[in-house]
Structure formats: C-alpha cells, structure tokens
Amino acid sequence: MNQAIEIKGLCKSYPGFALQNVSFSLPEGSIMGFIGENGAGKTTTIKSILGLVRPDAGEISVLGLSPAADRRRIGEQIGTVLDGSFFSETLRTGEISAVMSRLHPGWDRELFSGYCRRFSLPDSKPAKDFSKGMKAKLALATALAHRPRLLILDEATSGLDPVVRSEMLDLFLEFIEDETHSILLSSHITSDLEKIADYITILHEGKIVFSLQKDEMAARYGVLKCGKADAAKLDPRHIAGKRESRFDCEFLVDNREDPAYRGMLLEPASIDDIMTFFAKGGGAQ
C-alpha cells in the first residue's frame, strides 16, 4: 500500500514544548483524523509536513517526496486549509481565481467556479461579507481547484453549523472515492471523525498515543465501570486511563474483548472518551 504521508521519528523542540519521536503513516485513498488537546503539537506536525518548520530530527515523506528538498513539487499536489489563514477579505471569488491562476500552475478556473456554484458562493460581494460557513467553503474550494492528491485540513469545519459541516464531510468522502486521494484532517469535532475517518492518530503532550485504523481502535478500547473491589483485580498493563470517585472507578482499557471483564459494565470507548482519559493521566508511546 502506498503512503500519502509517512513520518518516522519526528522531533522538534521549542522552549517549554517538544515533539518527541512522532511516527505515523497515512495510506493513499483514506482519511486520517489527527487529534489532540490544544498545545499537543498538531500544528507543529502539520507545518513540518508542509515544509514550513524544519524538524530537529526524523524523516518525512509526502507523496514520496521530501518537504525539505521538494517543497514546491509537494505544494503542486496538495491542498491545504489551515486554521486562521485566509485570503485578503477585499477579494471576490473571481479575483481570487485570477490571483491563484498566476500563482499555481495547476489551477483550474472552471473547477473553482463549479465549486463556488455548488457552495452558492456569490461573486458579487467580497469575502469580508461572507458568513463563517461561506468562508470555510471558499477556503475548501480554493484548496480543491488545482486537483490535489492530498488535502491537509486544520480545523476546517470548526465553528460551522451542522448543515455546512455535513456538506463538507460529503465532499471529503467524494474526494477519496478513487482510492488515490487522501486527507489528513485535524479537528476537535470528534463526531465528524467518527463518521468519515478510516484512521485515528492521537497526539498528547508531543507524543503519539496511538495511530490505528478506526475499526481497530473501536475493537480494542472500552470504558469499564466497576467498584473498587473489582478494580483491584484488574491487570494494570491494560489500563490506559483512570477516573476515580469516592465509591467507584472508570477505566479506559485497551483489551475490551478480554473475558476477564465478563459481568462488569464495559462500553465501547468513543474518540472523546479516549482523548479525555489520556489528557487526565494516560500514557503515550
């Protein structure tokens, strides 16, 4: 299986923070949810993938190319929507297309116009007069209009209403239908990732917690609720996180099919559950 992104041993240190030995792969034709609490290192990782940050150590391959040596060639094959970045808000959609056609050799004016029509984006007013949802659609239309092989999206659906988010998720699924296109989607909206992601990668305090197929994650992790007497009998090697009250305990376990839990209350763990347990004291690789 070809890898759209492959990262091995990525390290990057700043005062008070460090990415430590980050490794994961995104296969072609799939969507990876890339998640973690604020400050976990997601943006630093994404900027390293894009060649905007020079790592201290490690190897990165994007579509078989090195961001350090082939940043321009990579840029021709990826579309990005980064949190907080946008065009000059004085521009109209037609003006954005004219600018991008000069900057990007693969720019397709007709394709961009088609996305604008699909998203009901008017050319009669500047972007500053667009709603937040319309601006998000404009950013995505721009990312897609040069026919990229890979999308890298950082909080692309954040703050949008459910209808707009649903439209965008449908488009993401369309994008990967040919099994050669891929998406790395960083998002705090885990319900979106539950719907469309094939893989989940969790980053916590600069370290990878895990990078798994979503189905494997669902089969492996569960939330176990039990009294303290039963809790004392659990195998600590399979406890990935813990919440304790005066009378009972909740555990995130990584072997929920184990018959040792028979008779106890054991529920599938959502992505939110897993993030919360690790943020409150779970470990990482």
Side-chain angles (χ1 to χ4, degrees):
M1 183 180 296
N2 293 328
Q3 305 298 325
I5 299 172
E6 190 166 14
I7 300 177
K8 297 178 180 179
L10 174 63
C11 299
K12 180 66 180 179
S13 294
Y14 295 103
F17 174 77
L19 279 181
Q20 302 174 58
N21 197 34
V22 168
S23 301
F24 64 86
S25 298
L26 169 60
E28 284 187 351
S30 59
I31 298 175
M32 175 176 285
F34 187 46
I35 60 177
E37 72 274 19
N38 290 333
K42 301 187 301 298
T43 298
T44 299
T45 303
I46 288 172
K47 287 184 176 180
S48 298
I49 293 169
L50 296 175
L52 302 175
V53 165
R54 185 182 295 274
D56 298 330
E59 299 177 6
I60 302 175
S61 173
V62 181
L63 301 173
L65 301 170
S66 164
D70 302 297
R71 182 176 166 188
R72 177 171 291 184
R73 289 175 63 195
I74 291 172
E76 292 172 356
Q77 300 180 72
I78 64 174
T80 60
V81 178
L82 302 181
D83 189 26
S85 65
F86 199 62
F87 313 97
S88 168
E89 296 210 332
T90 62
L91 297 179
R92 292 170 170 80
T93 57
E95 294 167 332
I96 290 171
S97 187
V99 170
M100 293 301 295
S101 67
R102 293 195 293 270
L103 296 176
H104 210 297
W107 185 259
D108 187 328
R109 287 176 181 255
E110 287 303 315
L111 183 61
F112 178 73
S113 296
Y115 280 124
C116 288
R117 289 192 296 271
R118 174 174 175 172
F119 292 151
S120 300
L121 300 177
D123 191 35
S124 59
K125 58 184 181 180
K128 66 181 177 64
D129 294 333
F130 284 12
S131 66
K132 186 168 185 176
M134 292 169 69
K135 289 178 180 178
K137 291 178 181 179
L138 177 58
L140 184 59
T142 306
L144 289 166
H146 63 281
R147 302 184 185 277
R149 292 172 55 194
L150 169 65
L151 285 178
I152 297 180
L153 309 174
D154 186 10
E155 300 298 339
T157 61
S158 177
L160 304 181
D161 67 60
V163 174
V164 175
R165 292 209 331 269
S166 179
E167 287 183 73
M168 296 182 76
L169 297 184
D170 288 343
L171 187 57
F172 297 161
L173 292 173
E174 289 176 22
F175 180 76
I176 64 162
E177 276 181 350
D178 70 352
E179 299 185 357
T180 63
H181 293 162
S182 314
I183 300 176
L184 180 68
L185 174 57
S186 173
S187 178
H188 286 103
I189 307 174
T190 57
S191 60
D192 289 350
L193 303 181
E194 299 273 10
K195 293 176 183 175
I196 67 167
D198 302 294
Y199 294 83
I200 300 293
T201 297
I202 299 183
L203 194 62
H204 174 62
E205 295 182 347
K207 298 179 182 179
I208 293 290
V209 173
F210 64 68
S211 186
L212 296 171
Q213 287 189 337
K214 186 177 65 180
D215 290 345
E216 181 181 353
M217 180 200 73
R220 180 182 297 187
Y221 285 91
V223 177
L224 177 69
K225 302 178 182 180
C226 64
K228 295 194 174 183
D230 284 331
K233 303 173 186 176
L234 300 178
D235 185 343
R237 294 174 299 175
H238 294 290
I239 295 174
K242 178 180 179 180
R243 290 193 293 236
E244 194 169 4
S245 69
R246 182 177 176 184
F247 300 107
D248 56 19
C249 304
E250 287 187 339
F251 297 94
L252 180 68
V253 296
D254 64 7
N255 62 336
R256 77 179 184 94
E257 301 296 333
D258 195 310
Y261 304 129
R262 193 167 295 139
M264 300 183 189
L265 180 57
L266 180 61
E267 300 173 342
S270 68
I271 299 174
D272 270 347
D273 289 328
I274 294 170
M275 282 187 62
T276 300
F277 272 104
F278 274 99
K280 293 184 176 181
Q285 294 175 2

